[in-house]
Amino acid sequence: MTAVRKRLLEWIDGERDRRVELLRTLTRIDTCNPPGDTTAAAELVAGFLSAEGIGCRTEAPRPEMPNLVSSFSGRGNGRHLVLNGHLDVFPIGDRTAWSRDPLSGDVVDGRIHGRGTVDMNCGTTALLFAHAYLHRLRSELAGRVTLTVVSDEETGGRWGSGWLTEHCGEEVLGDCVLNAEPSGLGTIRFGEKSMLWLRFTIRTAGGHSAYPHAGTSANRLAVRLVRELETIESMAPAESETVARTLDRSEVRTAAEASLGAGAADVMRRVSVNVGTLRGGVAINMLPSECVLDVDFRLPVGISRADVKQEVTSIVERFPAVRFEELDTGDIEANWSDPEHEMVAHLARNAHAGPARVRPQPVVGLGGTDTRFWRARGVPAFVHGCSPAGMGAVDESVGIEEFHQVLRTHALAAFDYLQA
């Protein structure tokens, strides 16, 4: 072990309490999105960086949703590594359902409690410290490191990572991206499914419920439509040889199921169809004249948005009363980076050497992350973080040891990448 790597490990092992305190402080700040005001959290992050002697600047296309960018260079020319995390979190919902204040940051039974601890205050705090540790070692590192701490991730990223990659690409694109969204210690996301949101509007003449022979129920048509839309889940993806070879491995399937739940390995490779909302009818004794469905399609690698929309169009043609429109989620396809990229090896090796002794496997994520903005521009991007269990749920909490493991893995993998 080199003296430089030994110093890094000493900081990782010696600053545990300081990391926990920053994570708890961040959790106590309300950054729920909507409404998505992250100004106080951004001030906390900027203050942390300043205390470490690291500069940062703000990009805020919306004043209440600031994005922080912090960069430094090493001793010479080398690769450019980007670290990406976000500040906004899911809404709290019904506070009375929580066992404790959802903004408490309480430590109970080895876990930090509060909204956003899993998604993604844990990961963002880990990346902050990784950035700080690399900055302390900058004279020993080649290349460049950029930290992007953004807003608006939970509602699509248009004013966060989407804005930065579009308007500040020269500074923030880099050669490789590390992200610490919740993924499960046993996985490394090398790709993710695409989101396609469609709104279906069904209009009929309606009528009285006692006279179904004289009218048509929009809600009943909606039931038939949903059954037809669910047939899209049987579409076969055209996976590349690399993706298919990776996802076919038994250890990858096992890791996906362990981290993301039973059935995840199959869902990872097929379209999923979810009717998120259904609104129709005004009275129990009337045939509804209108029904509106918002449907979330998640597309795997190997199935394009155009392919699914063509299938939807074919289905809707059989329902003259139905019209559909696309809701704005951006137009990024299901995306992936090379699962055999060296960063995957760095992450896996350092995760296995940590206290958890886990060897993460490369998987395709079921949900979206900001890494899609980098992959869409050809930059390899990888996600490794804590368990997604409980994210967005009542009584959300993250394990402290898991948090330290995530930090350790990212800091060491980043160090190895910049040393290579």
Side-chain angles (χ1 to χ4, degrees), residues 196-270:
L196 174 63
W197 291 356
L198 301 180
R199 173 168 291 162
F200 298 83
T201 302
I202 305 170
R203 290 193 175 93
T204 69
H208 194 293
S209 63
Y211 299 83
H213 58 289
T216 303
S217 164
N219 286 0
R220 194 164 186 171
L221 281 179
V223 172
R224 289 173 50 201
L225 175 65
V226 169
R227 288 176 183 152
E228 291 290 316
L229 293 175
E230 287 177 341
T231 65
I232 292 175
E233 294 186 342
S234 64
M235 291 177 68
E239 296 172 340
S240 73
E241 182 181 347
T242 300
V243 170
R245 182 176 65 247
T246 299
L247 299 184
D248 281 343
R249 288 164 40 198
S250 60
E251 60 268 35
V252 170
R253 290 183 59 85
T254 299
E257 304 259 322
S259 292
L260 305 174
D266 291 329
V267 172
M268 189 165 59
R269 305 175 77 173
R270 67 166 174 82

Side-chain angles (χ1 to χ4, degrees), residues 50 71 89 171 201 290:
S50 178
S71 297
V89 303
E171 185 175 5
T201 302
E290 181 176 280

Side-chain angles (χ1 to χ4, degrees), residues 330-397:
D331 57 359
I332 296 177
E333 302 283 358
N335 52 88
W336 60 283
S337 302
D338 184 359
E340 297 170 1
H341 189 279
E342 71 169 277
M343 182 57 81
V344 175
H346 291 318
L347 289 167
R349 183 181 63 256
N350 285 296
H352 187 250
R357 303 299 294 173
V358 63
R359 193 180 296 279
Q361 300 295 324
V363 303
V364 171
L366 306 183
T369 72
D370 277 348
T371 54
R372 69 188 185 278
F373 293 111
W374 277 269
R375 292 196 196 102
R377 288 164 173 78
V379 181
F382 304 96
V383 178
H384 178 70
C386 65
S387 168
M391 68 175 177
V394 169
D395 289 340
E396 181 177 351
S397 69

Side-chain angles (χ1 to χ4, degrees), residues 19-27 112 121-122 125 398 403:
R19 293 197 296 267
V20 167
E21 190 53 39
L22 184 64
L23 175 52
R24 296 182 68 198
T25 302
L26 182 58
T27 300
I112 301 173
N121 290 346
C122 165
T125 304
V398 69
F403 164 51

Side-chain angles (χ1 to χ4, degrees), residues 162-184:
W163 173 273
L164 291 181
T165 52
E166 181 179 354
H167 296 277
C168 309
E170 185 174 343
E171 185 175 5
V172 306
L173 287 181
D175 297 309
C176 184
V177 176
L178 276 181
N179 177 291
E181 284 268 25
S183 64

